[in-house]
Amino acid sequence: MPLVKIFARVGMNKAIPLKTLQSQMCKIWSTKPETTKLILSRVEDWTSESYDEDCYIDIRAYGKSERTREFVLDGMTQIQQAFAEHDLIANVRLETYEGERYFHVPPKK
């Protein structure tokens, strides 16, 4: 399901345990590691007028009928809690897409 882009400032000294967070997200969304990709990008800075977060989480996920607004918002709250377990404040954004408009060409094994 999701592609999870995690943005963190270059100077932030807190660890971001990707494998552990991936496992937690797989449990939250009932997905497999093969379909739940986490990508960490370190950035110089960002504007922070509204929030004082350690990480900005940008998620793209397939919009299935069972993923209602309530279900997705609950999952996003669980993601914030998963990051909080690692002493990280997460600002989470999630966007869904339609399957007919999704394309992917993975590398050959």
Side-chain angles (χ1 to χ4, degrees):
M1 171 202 159
L3 166 62
V4 182
K5 294 179 272 184
I6 303 168
F7 298 92
R9 289 188 177 105
V10 172
M12 187 185 74
N13 295 324
K14 296 178 183 180
I16 302 173
L18 291 181
K19 287 282 189 190
T20 303
L21 289 166
Q22 181 190 42
S23 176
Q24 290 173 291
M25 287 188 193
C26 286
K27 287 178 188 170
I28 291 167
W29 300 113
S30 299
T31 57
K32 297 178 184 177
E34 297 81 32
T35 59
T36 306
K37 181 78 135 187
L38 276 67
I39 299 173
L40 174 61
S41 295
R42 296 283 183 172
V43 297
E44 289 295 321
D45 205 1
W46 59 59
T47 59
S48 57
E49 296 84 24
S50 302
Y51 308 101
D52 188 26
E53 69 264 52
D54 295 314
C55 301
Y56 182 85
I57 315 302
D58 183 23
I59 303 171
R60 288 199 70 241
Y62 182 68
K64 294 182 177 181
S65 60
E66 63 268 18
R67 293 188 181 137
T68 63
R69 179 172 180 77
E70 294 77 21
F71 177 85
V72 170
L73 289 172
D74 180 60
M76 293 170 70
T77 300
Q78 290 181 55
I79 289 172
Q80 281 186 322
Q81 292 168 351
F83 275 78
E85 290 173 16
H86 302 284
D87 193 33
L88 296 164
I89 299 168
N91 184 0
V92 182
R93 171 193 180 278
L94 188 143
E95 178 181 339
T96 58
Y97 61 87
E98 295 178 30
E100 295 78 35
R101 296 177 181 227
Y102 173 76
F103 306 95
H104 177 219
V105 180
K108 295 182 180 6
K109 291 185 178 184

